[in-house]
Every structure is written in C-alpha cells, then in structure tokens.
Amino acid sequence: MTLWSVDLTSHETYYMAEGKTCATVTTHVLRLETDTGLKGWGEVCPIPHYLPAFAGGIPSAVTEMAPQILGISPLGIDAPMRKLDGFLVGHEAAKSIVDIALWDLFGQATDLPLYALLGGRMRADMPLYHSITCVAPDEMARIAREAYATGIRQFQVKLGADADWQADAARLIKVREAVGHGPLVYGDWNCGATKLHATRTGRAVRSHDVMLEQPCKTIEDCAAVRQATGLPMKLDETVFDSATLLRAHGLGCLDAAALKLSKFGGLSAMRRARDLCVHLGVEICAECTWGSDIVTAAALHFAASTPHGSLLNTCDLSGYVSPRICADAPSRANGRIAPPEGPGLGVTPDPDIFGHPILELS
C-alpha cells in the first residue's frame, strides 16, 4: 500500500454558502499492489467544511485499516469492505479510497471495465452538469453562457455566499435567462440557508422552472422548503446511506440525490444506494466530493452502469482542477463524457506527478 498527498488547485476560486471555498485542496491517492504485479488505484478528496471528514485524517485511517487489507484477495470486494465497516466505524471517506482501489484491481484481474462489473454499460456517454461558483449574478450568467456554448445543458448555481435571498433569486433568474428554456437549472446552498431564506428565494423564482438543492442542514427543513415552494428538491449532504435516503423519500423531498463516493464509502456502498434510488424513482447525480482523474473515472463507470431513467447527470471533477494526474483520462465533449475504456478504472496515473509517498506499508 502506497499513499500520496497531492494539492489540487481549482481553475478559479470556488465560492459556496457560509464562507465555504475551494481554491487549493488536498487529495490523496492510494496504490494497492498485488503479488501478481497488478496495481489498483484509489483517490479521495474531502473538501473543507463539507463532510464529517478532512484530508489530514485520511493517512491515519488508511494506516489503521492496513492490517485488515494487506493479504486479502481483490476478487470479492463486499466481504473486505463489510469487514472494514465492523473494524473501523464511520470514516467513509477513507474507506472509499480503499474500495475504489479494490474495484480497480478486481477489474484488472478479470480483464473487465468497472462498468461491466457494476451492472453493465447502459449508455455510451453521460450528460454533465456545470457547477457555477457563487459570485455576482451577471458573472454567473456569463459563465453559464460559456458552458452552454460547449454543449452543457445542466447547470448547478451555487447560492448563499452573501446570505442575501434576493441576490440568490437574481442568480437563478439570470442563469435561466442566459441558457433559455429547456436546460436544467438548480440552485445549491450546500446546507447554507435557513428555511425562511430558501423559501423566499424559491417563491421568487417559482415561475422560472428551477430545482432547489440542499438548502438547509436537515432533511426535515429541506422538506419544509419543498412543501412551501412547490419546487423539486435535490439532496446532497444529508443523504449518505439507505436510512437517510428512505427518510428523505418518506418526507417527500427526494426528487434527486447526489450519490458521492466519499459520502457513502466507495463504489460498493454506492451501488446499494443506487439500487434503492432506482426502486424509489429518485434521479441520481453520480459523482464525488472533489478530486482528479481517478475518482472521476470511478464515478463515470458508476454513471455508465446506472439504469436508464435513473441518471440525472454526472460530473468531470478533474476538469475543474489541476494537475490532471492521468494522461489517458477522458474529458468532456459537447456537454457529455464517456467512461474510460480498458480493464478496471481504465486510467493510468503518473506517480511522478505525486512526489514522494507519505505512507508505504507492506
């Protein structure tokens, strides 16, 4: 097991509600090597103030899990991941980096791409959304127009950076006007709004065909906003396992859900969450919190294997940051993106980019 720490810098500073920002953040890259010479790769990048996890905790958690991982077979992933769940309670972000690397090894050992192992390829490529940093409304409209010109038809509008509900309403209206009727536009507070703030914003834009995303810190408050505004709701931070998905669905505020590798603990747990969402009729955004090419590849395989009618969109996280760490990783084209080809993740990281490892265990 070899672990690296790599700084990822956003192409522009990313502003969210309650003072959250992403400029330069730390991602961790894990390599698992087998006695047959195969190398499986994982990645996780918990951004500040978002998950109950932080980048500095990843090396400690990986070290703690190492005795349970070294010596196992990568051909049956559910068994070791359930063992880890019993050994180390919580720490889903750290578990996700191990889980992704095990799936990569599983694909290489069977000479199959991950989408084949996750249920089969359901589509040639997937629609992308473009996330717009929370700045002045006119500037956000400019960003939306530029993304629209590249083929993007789904737009996530970050809200709440100035705690001004009228400014948030203007952001949504300006972006809607910039992209015209038809494209999906949704406003995301990342838990940074009160019920009153979100309700006033939602009522102000009700005639503009928008969706709201995670306005408040609890499922119950988000459900109250959905009821008060009549606008569809996507949840993110508050849904991270089957129990929270079921609670949100029961409260009527789960039109769409962000399934993120770092939140759920990797592809194994996210696959179970996907099956539940398909059963409940919830549309899925397949992605992760942040990161570069490895975690993006894992999300794209997951998205490609998600059944028809259940995938809302996916995200090319690596397209928002530098450095790119896999020269053969896919990039967006005409607002869409395809999963990598080849066995496992189908991408080849370049360790020379990473510098010296921070952890080596055998």
Side-chain angles (χ1 to χ4, degrees):
M1 299 175 65
T2 309
L3 186 72
W4 290 267
S5 173
V6 183
D7 285 341
L8 297 179
T9 300
S10 303
H11 296 161
E12 59 181 343
T13 301
Y14 198 67
Y15 296 99
M16 297 172 278
E18 295 186 313
K20 300 184 184 79
T21 62
C22 276
T24 297
V25 295
T26 300
T27 195
H28 283 93
V29 175
L30 177 69
R31 183 177 66 197
L32 299 183
E33 300 182 56
T34 72
D35 56 354
T36 63
L38 297 180
K39 297 175 181 178
W41 295 88
E43 181 187 7
V44 69
C45 185
I47 62 175
H49 319 300
Y50 177 80
L51 292 176
F54 67 104
I58 301 299
S60 297
V62 169
T63 301
E64 191 76 13
M65 291 185 287
Q68 309 298 314
I69 300 164
L70 292 167
I72 65 171
S73 167
L75 297 182
I77 298 168
D78 280 344
M81 292 312 297
R82 290 185 184 277
K83 182 180 179 182
L84 285 179
D85 285 338
F87 176 76
L88 183 66
V89 178
H91 298 277
E92 307 306 328
K95 289 174 184 172
S96 73
I97 195 173
V98 174
D99 179 90
I100 293 168
L102 287 173
W103 276 97
D104 190 21
L105 284 174
F106 187 18
Q108 292 179 51
T110 56
D111 199 31
L112 291 169
L114 284 196
Y115 59 71
L117 298 174
L118 292 168
R121 190 167 186 170
M122 301 292 180
R123 51 185 57 77
D125 57 15
M126 295 79 66
L128 289 162
Y129 76 87
H130 188 77
S131 188
I132 305 174
T133 180
C134 188
V135 289
D138 286 335
E139 178 67 5
M140 297 178 77
R142 179 193 65 78
I143 295 169
R145 282 191 292 270
E146 290 182 353
Y148 184 91
T150 69
I152 293 288
R153 294 297 182 267
Q154 299 192 35
F155 301 86
Q156 182 193 63
V157 181
K158 290 298 185 182
L159 303 174
D162 44 17
D164 181 344
W165 74 268
Q166 290 174 301
D168 285 342
R171 290 177 173 111
L172 286 166
I173 292 169
K174 289 280 189 179
V175 170
R176 167 54 72 200
E177 291 173 346
V179 302
H181 297 292
L184 177 65
V185 174
Y186 51 102
D188 180 16
W189 282 278
N190 291 107
C191 300
T194 64
K195 284 189 294 183
L196 178 60
H197 179 124
T199 298
R200 296 177 84 181
T201 304
R203 287 180 172 174
V205 302
R206 191 156 44 187
S207 63
H208 291 269
D209 181 26
V210 299
M211 180 168 68
L212 305 181
E213 179 176 356
Q214 197 63 59
C216 306
K217 291 180 171 62
T218 68
I219 294 173
E220 290 74 15
D221 283 354
C222 291
V225 171
R226 198 212 183 287
Q227 183 177 17
T229 63
L231 294 174
M233 181 74 66
K234 174 188 171 190
L235 292 186
D236 179 1
E237 287 92 333
T238 53
V239 288
F240 47 83
D241 58 14
S242 296
T244 50
L245 288 167
L246 285 168
R247 188 160 85 247
H249 182 263
L251 289 171
C253 62
L254 194 64
D255 299 288
L259 301 190
K260 295 183 174 178
L261 294 155
S262 55
K263 275 194 312 180
F264 282 84
L267 288 163
S268 301
M270 210 157 83
R271 183 178 55 165
R272 296 191 292 271
R274 178 182 67 188
D275 292 344
L276 178 58
C277 286
V278 171
H279 174 71
L280 296 175
V282 176
E283 295 199 37
I284 294 166
C285 172
E287 57 175 341
C288 197
T289 310
W290 207 248
S292 190
D293 293 310
I294 299 171
V295 75
T296 296
L300 296 183
H301 282 285
F302 179 85
S305 62
T306 295
H308 289 287
S310 295
L311 182 71
L312 181 69
N313 54 39
T314 189
C315 184
D316 59 335
L317 288 164
S318 51
Y320 292 86
V321 300
S322 60
R324 298 292 294 265
I325 62 178
C326 303
D328 53 356
S331 297
R332 65 171 66 180
N334 195 31
R336 303 180 72 86
I337 195 167
E341 300 294 343
L345 288 170
V347 295
T348 311
D350 181 0
D352 290 339
I353 296 173
F354 307 153
H356 294 292
I358 62 170
L359 188 66
E360 293 180 276
L361 301 168
S362 61

